[in-house]
């Protein structure tokens, strides 16, 4: 048997392995789901397969409209080849409608339209529970420069417009989402690109007509079967012409 690739990093929902060439990594999507800073945990059969496909779909779309991102190609059911980046230690959140923490913080009813898309940042630190941070902190602590933040907002808003349109076309409202940003160096030049993943794990997606939730809130709030919800998103987008019954046999690598 070929030796297992060297593990570079293990996160809650994904593992990164050394890639076949310098500057590349293999991103493996696990079935693990966590919420509330990993206080709630479960293994959700089929989730990793769906998120691998969905992230491929969104990242490829972004490439096609000229938004730089880490995706190179999908390797198999659970793995994709990506560019190695230095992750900016921020969760970049874009909101179109109030939900989750902003609804709580400001006493807004979930689903209230926001006056314009709001971009906010959390400092990526599990021990602290990813606290919301202002630009002032980000610049003062050197996590990103003002120029980086201007570029990050521009990237985040392009991703928002793209995803909003893609979901709208299949009857889904994009409430909010989170992206992560990576740095790559090309000679002396540093470039920022969209990294990590784009999937229903990191978006809030509501059916336009019924308001049914088709994202990780199904798990967070015990609203039903998460794989069914993600399969529905994939089915509408034409990403996987399949259902969970058909996914299961292919889980064995
Ligand atoms: N989000 C995420 N990872 C996190 C925190 C948030 O992917 O660690 C996503 C979340 O799924 C939602 C958006 O970012 O789509 C905004 O989340 P919010 O700040 O409302 O936090 P939550 O209510 O999820 O704790």
């Amino acid at each position: 048997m070929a030796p297992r690739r060297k593990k570079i990093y293990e996160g809650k929902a994904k593992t990164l392995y050394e890639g076949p060439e310098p500057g590349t990594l293999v991103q493996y999507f696990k079935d693990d789901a966590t919420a509330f800073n990993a206080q709630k945990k479960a293994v959700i059969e089929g989730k990793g397969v769906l998120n691998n496909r969905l992230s491929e779909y969104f990242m490829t779309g972004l490439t096609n409209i000229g938004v730089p991102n880490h995706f190179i190609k999908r390797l198999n059911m659970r793995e994709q080849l990506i560019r190695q980046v230095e992750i900016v230690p921020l969760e970049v959140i874009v909101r179109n409608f109030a939900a989750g923490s902003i609804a709580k913080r400001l006493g807004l009813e979930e689903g209230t339209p926001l006056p314009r898309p709001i971009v906010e940042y959390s400092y990526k630190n599990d021990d602290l529970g990813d606290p919301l941070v202002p630009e002032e902190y980000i610049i003062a602590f050197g996590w990103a420069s003002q120029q980086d933040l201007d570029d990050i907002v521009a990237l985040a808003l392009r991703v928002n417009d793209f995803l909003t349109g893609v979901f709208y076309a299949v009857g889904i409202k994009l409430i909010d989402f989170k992206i992560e940003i990576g740095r790559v160096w090309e000679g002396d030049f540093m470039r920022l690109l969209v990294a990590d993943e784009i999937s229903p794990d990191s978006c809030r997606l509501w059916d336009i007509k019924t308001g049914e939730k088709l994202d990780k809130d199904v798990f967070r709030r015990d609203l039903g079967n998460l794989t069914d919800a993600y399969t529905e998103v994939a089915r509408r987008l034409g990403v996987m012409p399949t259902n969970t019954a058909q996914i299961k046999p292919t889980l064995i690598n």
Side-chain angles (χ1 to χ4, degrees), residues 94-100 102 108-114 116-117 164 173-176 204 206:
V94 183
R95 302 178 184 277
N96 298 306
F97 297 86
I102 197 175
L108 296 171
E109 192 183 334
E110 290 208 314
T112 308
L114 297 171
R116 57 172 210 189
T164 298
K173 199 193 254 191
L174 177 63
I175 301 295
D176 58 29
R204 281 198 173 91
W206 295 5

Side-chain angles (χ1 to χ4, degrees), residues 50-58 198 200 230 233-234 237 239:
L50 284 155
N51 282 353
N52 185 27
R53 289 279 188 156
L54 284 163
S55 203
E56 170 192 21
Y57 180 79
F58 298 124
I198 299 177
Y230 288 20
V233 173
L237 293 168
V239 172

